[in-house]
């Protein structure tokens, strides 16, 4: 009994301290001080969640307090949002209703709480993905009150900070969903610090070893980096002081996640990334109206000290990014021979860069001002919401298509394009003339035959650059083509093209269904639905509709192969095509036996999804290894239960897995390797360097003789004294690949060794 009393007292102290910290943060902010209503919301939520604990063991009320703390301190929101954050789980988790909240706290707080409840709750059909449906609701609610999404991001940030108490499969689901949806959303709303933390936390749980390795390397190179920063900034500081500018210079270090992403995309090592360090100059202007001029004055002054890179000047002063970001970025050559990016911005711009939209909401003056009320004149945000509404009006049938369409719209990198009349339009980097046509009008896009860019004729697929003047050319005889999907890059264009194609495809689908029915009747197939699903997988169609469409447009011709597949399955040869990965030489007999014995594992109804599955030398043939990412032992992997209750294995960093985590999180499993170097797997290494006599001999000597590894294929092309090639190997695991690469790097004149995923 004494233990219970002591625990209750400890809980009370913990809760009261956390709430006092929240009040202190709120009182230190610039908001009007509405302490009474915040205290009332806290007491109400505390009572509602009484006796409930989180997985970590702490009282549940600590979560709403933490979310409110983030909303107040890190996103800069006021009392309305703080109250809504404190109450955000009350309607979903207790017997209280939205009406109760409205009666006690008024319509505005109730509306935000209802928006947050809508996102979390809800029962969806089996075909629909809960996450995609939630996200749809999230965006619909967003147009009513942007604070709903801001609080939801705060909620997600706290969930990520406390993710360690969750089982591994849940960690992958939540981390994947965060990277796929919430980090781009935070970025779009200008919440830079929040976005970076969400990315790093996701990375930490999905790839713990790589995260730890990068953190360690950042720590070990800290002193050297700091020395470079001091040497580089000393003459800049002297010049700024001479100019009489009030400034602050900060060292900005690339986050572990962005370093890792660059390492993956460019296939380089940590040591080969040169932009880990950037310098930020934050100044306080003497006159707010002159702050843009002051940015340019600073740029002119520092480019006299260091040579600037002509192609790397980024001006977001006159035309801020859609999320409000304003700054001038310039890249300068340091005395150590390194390019260093310098970001120049005023204190106001810096606040917007860190806190995004929340920082430049306009507060109403006067006594009857409503706390954290924002005005509706955020033109860029409203434009973005309008585009999303258009996508929602014509939703994709597939949840993952929908998420993809929205994801495309969360672009952060933008260019400015001019119409023939000189009007400016903001477009995402990498967009084409066709994207531009659809951004103006659907009719213009669907009948577009080309464009004039800077008065020169270009095709539809021409990529636009910042500053281009674009005139769209149309023809009534032009119609939407399937191939357009491959080169448009904006959500709006993709959604419109898909909607038009879907209308055109319905006729072909019906034709395909008729042809398939004839095939089934002719060959005595009893269950056409099951047969369609089976052949859909054989032809690697994404859905039944795609399968029927392919039959309708003759890209799939049903024949003997399809019949063999159906009869083979019926005669109990399930999983025949899934052979065990390569075994050693002389194991042919064993390989055939293994293939015949290994059936694909079917997940039973009461399967424990919280426990990891272990892939061993003996059971590897029971799982599906997809071609999208080619995982081998040593890779960070996860399992996914597909529509046939079989388990696919993907790398955790695989783009397909990213969509699966965001769309079908409850089907994700933790998967681990338990291999003992008995089987062989394919791996490809790319090599580049200076061509010389004996190079090939040196390479094969290291791989075949020194390391006793079998080279499956070697392809090399040589031009102008340089060579570029790839080596396909049979290896046991990722460690073998790392060891081979380390040894190859020791070869003289072999300049670059990278692993192809």
């Amino acid at each position: 009994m004494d233990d219970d009393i002591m625990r209750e007292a400890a809980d009370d102290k913990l809760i009261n301290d956390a709430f006092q910290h929240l009040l202190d943060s709120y009182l230190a902010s610039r908001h009007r001080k509405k302490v009474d209503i915040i205290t009332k919301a806290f007491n109400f939520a505390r009572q509602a969640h009484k006796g409930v604990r989180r997985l970590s063991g702490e009282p549940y009320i600590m979560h709403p307090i933490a979310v409110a703390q983030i909303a107040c301190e890190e996103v800069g929101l006021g009392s309305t949002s703080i109250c809504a954050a404190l109450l955000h789980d009350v309607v979903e988790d207790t017997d209280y209703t939205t009406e109760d909240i409205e009666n006690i706290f008024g319509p505005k707080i109730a509306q935000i709480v209802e928006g947050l409840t809508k996102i979390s709750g809800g029962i969806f059909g089996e075909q629909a993905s809960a996450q995609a449906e939630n996200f749809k609701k999230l965006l619909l609610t967003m147009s009513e009150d942007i604070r709903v999404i801001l609080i939801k991001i705060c909620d997600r940030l706290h969930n990520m900070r406390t993710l360690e108490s969750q089982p591994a499969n849940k960690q992958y689901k939540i981390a994947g969903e965060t990277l796929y949806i919430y980090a781009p959303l935070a970025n779009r709303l200008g919440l830079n610090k929040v976005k970076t933390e969400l990315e790093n936390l996701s990375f930490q749980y999905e790839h713990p070893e790589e995260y730890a390795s990068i953190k360690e390397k950042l720590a070990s190179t800290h002193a050297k980096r700091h020395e470079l920063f001091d040497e580089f900034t000393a003459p800049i500081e002297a010049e700024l002081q001479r100019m009489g500018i009030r400034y602050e210079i900060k060292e900005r270090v690339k986050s572990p996640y962005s370093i890792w992403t660059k390492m993956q995309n460019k296939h380089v090592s940590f040591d080969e990334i040169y932009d880990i360090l950037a310098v930020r100059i934050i100044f306080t202007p003497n006159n707010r109206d002159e702050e843009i001029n002051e940015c340019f004055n600073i740029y002119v002054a520092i480019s006299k000290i260091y040579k600037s890179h002509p192609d790397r000047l980024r001006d977001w002063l006159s035309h801020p990014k859609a999320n409000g970001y304003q700054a001038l970025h310039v890249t300068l050559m340091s005395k150590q021979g390194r390019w260093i990016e310098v970001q120049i911005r005023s204190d106001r711009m810096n606040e917007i860069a860190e806190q995004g939209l929340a920082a430049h909401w306009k507060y109403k003056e006067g006594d009857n001002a409503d706390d954290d009320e924002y005005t509706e004149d955020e033109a860029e945000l409203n434009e973005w919401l309008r585009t999303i509404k258009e996508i929602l009006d014509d939703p994709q049938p597939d949840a993952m298509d929908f998420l993809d369409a929205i994801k495309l719209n969360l672009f952060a990198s933008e260019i400015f394009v001019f119409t023939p009349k000189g009007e400016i339009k903001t477009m995402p980097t990498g967009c084409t003339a066709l994207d531009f046509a659809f951004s103006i009008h659907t009719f213009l896009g669907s009948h577009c035959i080309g464009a004039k860019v800077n008065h020169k004729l270009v095709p539809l697929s021409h990529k636009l650059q910042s500053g281009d003047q674009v005139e769209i050319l149309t023809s009534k005889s032009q119609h939407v083509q399937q191939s357009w999907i491959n080169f448009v890059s904006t959500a709006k264009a993709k959604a419109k093209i898909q909607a038009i194609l879907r209308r055109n495809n319905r006729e072909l689908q019906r034709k395909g269904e008729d042809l398939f029915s004839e095939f089934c009747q002719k060959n005595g197939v009893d269950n056409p639905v099951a047969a369609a699903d089976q052949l859909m997988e054989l032809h690697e169609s994404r859905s039944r509709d795609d399968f029927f469409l392919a039959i309708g447009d003759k890209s799939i011709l049903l024949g003997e192969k399809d019949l063999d597949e159906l009869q083979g399955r019926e005669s109990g040869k399930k999983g025949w095509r899934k052979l065990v990965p390569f075994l050693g030489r002389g194991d042919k007999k064993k390989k055939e036996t293994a293939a015949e014995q290994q059936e694909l594992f079917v997940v039973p109804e009461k399967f424990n999804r919280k426990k990891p599955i272990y892939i061993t030398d003996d059971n590897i043939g029971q799982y599906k290894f997809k071609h999208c990412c080619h995982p081998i032992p040593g890779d960070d992997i996860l399992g996914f239960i597909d529509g046939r209750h079989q388990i696919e294995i993907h790398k955790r960093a695989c783009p397909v897995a990213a969509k699966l985590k965001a769309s079908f999180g409850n089907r994700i499993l933790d998967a681990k390797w338990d291999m003992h170097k008995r089987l062989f797997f394919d791996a490809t290494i790319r090599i580049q360097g200076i061509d010389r006599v004996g190079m090939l001999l040196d390479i094969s000597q290291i791989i075949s003789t020194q390391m006793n590894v079998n080279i499956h294929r070697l392809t090399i092309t040589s031009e102008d004294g340089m060579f570029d090639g790839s080596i396909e190997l049979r290896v046991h695991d990722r460690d073998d690949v790392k060891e081979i690469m380390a040894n190859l790097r020791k070869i003289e004149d072999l300049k670059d060794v990278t692993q192809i995923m």
Side-chain angles (χ1 to χ4, degrees):
M1 190 67 189
D2 286 350
D3 286 350
D4 289 346
I5 294 167
M6 282 172 72
R7 189 178 183 186
E8 204 172 310
D11 284 350
D12 283 347
K13 182 173 178 356
L14 187 74
I15 295 165
N16 291 335
D17 287 352
F19 180 61
Q20 190 54 52
H21 177 49
L22 171 63
L23 279 186
D24 292 344
S25 303
Y26 174 64
L27 290 168
S29 74
R30 63 187 179 192
H31 292 279
R32 289 170 63 244
K33 310 300 176 247
K34 296 186 176 178
V35 173
D36 291 352
I37 194 159
I38 293 174
T39 308
K40 188 175 171 185
F42 162 66
N43 289 327
F44 185 86
R46 185 179 192 171
Q47 190 56 43
H49 295 300
K50 198 171 176 63
V52 182
R53 293 187 178 275
R54 298 188 85 206
L55 278 181
S56 59
E58 68 177 15
Y60 192 86
I61 186 65
M62 292 300 288
H63 169 64
I65 295 172
V67 175
Q69 182 70 41
I70 294 167
C72 172
E73 190 176 7
E74 296 176 54
V75 185
L77 300 176
S79 64
T80 308
S81 302
I82 292 169
C83 290
L86 287 167
L87 299 164
H88 79 271
D89 279 334
V90 166
V91 175
E92 192 189 345
D93 294 346
T94 73
D95 294 333
Y96 289 106
T97 63
T98 311
E99 286 73 29
D100 296 329
I101 303 289
E102 186 169 349
N103 291 336
I104 302 166
F105 297 98
K108 188 147 287 172
I109 291 171
Q111 183 194 2
I112 297 172
V113 171
E114 185 184 23
L116 289 158
T117 307
K118 256 195 221 169
I119 299 161
S120 304
I123 300 157
F124 313 107
E126 276 181 30
Q127 293 304 308
S129 137
Q131 279 78 4
E133 286 296 320
N134 280 342
F135 196 46
K136 217 177 272 190
K137 289 180 174 180
L138 186 76
L139 294 161
L140 284 170
T141 317
M142 201 174 156
S143 52
E144 292 166 25
D145 195 322
I146 195 83
R147 285 172 288 196
V148 174
I149 184 79
L150 290 167
I151 296 165
K152 185 63 190 172
I153 288 170
C154 299
D155 179 40
R156 176 51 57 120
L157 179 55
H158 186 246
N159 285 336
M160 287 301 298
R161 285 175 179 173
T162 55
L163 199 56
E164 62 201 20
S165 53
Q166 294 280 2
N169 65 321
K170 268 283 185 61
Q171 288 178 349
Y172 302 150
K173 166 201 176 299
I174 294 168
E177 204 178 276
T178 300
L179 266 187
Y180 200 72
I181 296 173
Y182 289 96
L185 202 45
N187 187 34
R188 180 64 192 208
L189 296 173
L191 301 167
N192 188 48
K193 275 170 79 173
V194 172
K195 178 214 64 158
T196 304
E197 190 176 349
L198 287 173
E199 287 175 343
N200 283 332
L201 286 165
S202 299
F203 174 41
Q204 183 183 342
Y205 284 103
E206 293 213 301
H207 304 282
E209 287 174 16
E210 275 136 320
Y211 176 79
S213 163
I214 290 173
K215 286 284 280 185
E216 189 186 319
K217 282 172 181 163
L218 280 173
S220 66
T221 54
H222 172 74
K224 201 173 169 187
R225 216 170 34 247
H226 195 65
E227 189 183 322
L228 172 64
F229 172 78
D230 285 345
E231 281 181 32
F232 180 75
T233 55
I236 293 176
E237 291 209 49
E239 181 59 23
L240 292 175
Q241 284 164 10
R242 191 194 65 73
M243 292 166 74
I245 291 169
R246 288 177 290 162
Y247 70 92
E248 185 184 359
I249 291 192
K250 286 186 175 176
E251 193 174 346
R252 194 229 64 185
V253 178
K254 223 176 178 60
S255 72
Y257 174 75
S258 57
I259 291 171
W260 179 75
T261 307
K262 196 156 193 177
M263 285 165 66
Q264 301 303 305
N265 294 342
K266 306 255 190 211
H267 299 297
V268 293
S269 66
F270 179 90
D271 300 323
E272 292 169 283
I273 294 178
Y274 292 114
D275 61 347
I276 287 175
L277 173 71
V279 171
R280 192 170 285 159
I281 300 172
I282 302 159
F283 67 93
T284 306
N286 295 321
N287 178 353
R288 282 280 165 222
D289 297 334
E290 292 293 315
E291 62 180 0
I292 288 177
N293 287 343
E294 281 200 45
C295 280
F296 280 108
N297 290 341
I298 292 170
Y299 162 60
V300 170
I302 63 175
S303 58
K304 285 177 185 170
I305 303 168
Y306 296 110
K307 184 91 177 107
S308 66
H309 194 301
D311 300 329
R312 291 205 206 158
L313 178 68
R314 299 284 180 268
D315 172 14
W316 283 294
L317 295 173
S318 322
H319 302 291
K321 285 189 184 183
N323 60 19
Y325 181 84
Q326 265 186 303
L328 188 63
H329 290 194
V330 54
T331 304
L332 303 172
M333 175 58 79
S334 69
K335 298 283 191 280
Q336 289 84 358
R338 285 246 181 132
W339 287 110
I340 293 178
E341 185 182 72
V342 179
Q343 301 167 357
I344 306 165
R345 55 205 200 198
S346 69
D347 49 1
R348 180 191 66 82
M349 295 173 191
N350 188 59
E351 196 178 348
I352 290 168
E354 297 300 338
Q355 291 194 336
L357 283 167
H360 68 161
W361 280 353
K362 287 93 178 165
Y363 296 93
K364 291 181 182 175
E365 301 294 324
D367 294 338
N368 58 358
D370 186 24
D371 193 16
D372 80 8
E373 177 70 43
Y374 62 92
T375 60
E376 290 296 325
D377 64 351
E378 298 294 351
E380 292 286 4
L381 177 69
N382 288 336
E383 178 63 34
W384 181 52
L385 288 174
R386 217 176 1 262
T387 307
I388 285 172
K389 275 184 167 171
E390 280 184 32
I391 296 166
L392 289 168
D393 288 341
D394 188 12
Q396 309 292 323
D398 184 320
M400 276 160 63
D401 278 354
F402 169 77
L403 278 180
D404 268 355
I406 295 297
K407 183 103 177 9
L408 277 172
N409 224 67
L410 298 177
F411 54 80
S413 195
E414 288 144 354
I415 60 170
F416 302 104
V417 182
F418 294 91
T419 67
K421 290 181 179 174
E423 293 165 20
I424 288 183
K425 282 199 77 83
T426 304
M427 297 291 292
T429 302
C431 73
T432 62
L434 188 57
D435 286 302
F436 182 74
F438 272 106
S439 77
I440 296 168
H441 199 279
T442 305
F443 180 85
L444 211 59
S446 52
H447 292 87
C448 178
I449 52 164
K452 277 186 177 178
V453 172
N454 306 327
H455 312 294
K456 286 180 190 164
L457 274 174
V458 297
L460 300 176
S461 56
H462 176 83
K463 286 196 175 175
L464 301 177
Q465 305 293 323
S466 213
D468 280 348
Q469 189 167 26
V470 187
E471 182 188 346
I472 299 299
L473 307 173
T474 60
S475 162
K476 283 183 181 174
S477 61
Q478 175 71 296
H479 297 290
V480 171
Q481 313 287 314
Q482 180 73 46
S483 59
W484 290 5
I485 282 288
N486 301 327
F487 60 78
V488 291
S489 68
T490 57
K492 183 172 182 176
K494 267 204 160 79
K496 292 294 178 194
I497 292 167
Q498 281 169 334
I500 294 164
L501 287 173
R502 273 202 305 279
R503 280 200 297 275
N504 300 346
N505 289 344
R506 279 181 201 128
E507 198 59 46
L508 281 171
Q509 271 173 17
R510 277 196 287 274
K511 187 180 168 187
E513 284 178 46
D514 293 342
L515 287 169
F516 183 71
S517 295
E518 282 173 32
F519 173 80
C520 291
Q521 282 166 2
K522 185 179 162 187
N523 295 292
V525 176
D526 297 332
N527 188 343
V529 177
D533 287 343
Q534 204 165 315
L535 294 181
M536 195 176 97
E537 191 171 313
L538 173 69
H539 292 284
E540 297 186 338
S541 298
R542 283 181 58 192
S543 66
R544 222 178 281 167
D545 285 348
D546 285 357
F547 176 60
F548 290 136
L549 179 63
I551 297 171
D553 69 11
K554 302 282 197 305
S555 53
I556 290 178
L557 296 170
L558 298 169
E560 287 297 316
K561 185 175 77 165
D562 302 277
L563 208 53
D564 290 346
E565 168 74 8
L566 293 171
Q567 287 167 351
R569 295 282 174 135
E570 283 160 17
S571 60
K573 293 179 185 171
K574 191 173 183 185
W576 250 64
R577 293 196 325 280
K578 175 72 193 87
L579 287 175
V580 171
F582 302 99
L583 292 107
R585 291 193 191 93
D587 280 342
K588 191 174 178 215
K589 179 90 181 129
K590 184 179 170 189
K591 183 174 173 179
E592 285 166 3
T593 322
E596 281 184 292
Q597 287 171 351
Q598 296 256 304
E599 286 196 0
L600 288 171
F601 175 68
V602 177
V603 176
E605 207 171 312
K606 292 191 175 172
F607 186 70
N608 184 349
R609 299 185 183 200
K610 288 183 182 176
K611 278 191 171 177
I613 52 168
Y614 287 91
I615 300 170
T616 66
D617 299 289
D618 300 320
N619 74 9
I620 192 165
Q622 296 178 7
Y623 303 104
K624 294 179 176 178
F625 285 77
K626 306 302 270 186
H627 298 301
C628 48
C629 58
H630 189 61
I632 70 171
D635 287 328
D636 289 337
I637 52 166
L638 52 76
F640 171 70
I641 302 169
D642 67 11
R644 315 183 75 167
H645 304 291
Q646 292 157 354
I647 297 174
E648 295 177 5
I649 303 297
H650 293 269
K651 285 185 188 175
R652 285 182 220 154
C654 164
V656 173
K659 292 183 197 176
L660 296 174
K661 284 178 282 192
S663 301
F664 305 102
N666 56 340
R667 295 201 223 158
I668 298 292
L669 302 171
D670 182 17
K672 297 187 188 304
W673 298 104
D674 184 16
M675 308 291 283
H676 299 90
K677 291 189 182 281
R678 277 166 44 198
L679 306 180
F680 286 99
F681 298 81
D682 278 342
T684 307
I685 291 172
R686 185 178 177 193
I687 50 173
Q688 293 169 293
I690 299 165
D691 200 4
R692 62 166 168 80
V693 176
M695 174 60 82
L696 216 51
L697 181 66
D698 289 352
I699 291 168
S700 56
Q701 194 100 33
I702 278 189
I703 296 173
S704 303
T705 314
Q706 190 180 324
M707 304 199 66
N708 198 24
V709 169
N710 180 17
I711 296 178
H712 180 54
R713 184 182 293 143
L714 177 60
T715 317
I716 287 194
T717 55
S718 177
E719 200 175 321
D720 298 332
M722 305 296 286
F723 74 86
D724 190 339
S726 65
I727 314 168
E728 284 181 30
L729 306 167
R730 299 274 192 260
V731 295
H732 291 300
D733 53 30
R734 191 59 69 202
D735 287 342
D736 283 0
V737 180
K738 285 178 183 166
E739 195 180 340
I740 292 163
M741 286 170 69
N743 283 320
L744 286 174
R745 284 193 179 106
K746 293 173 188 170
I747 296 176
E748 191 185 347
D749 294 331
L750 189 54
K751 297 297 181 189
D752 204 10
V753 182
T754 53
Q755 179 210 321
I756 299 171
M757 292 301 175

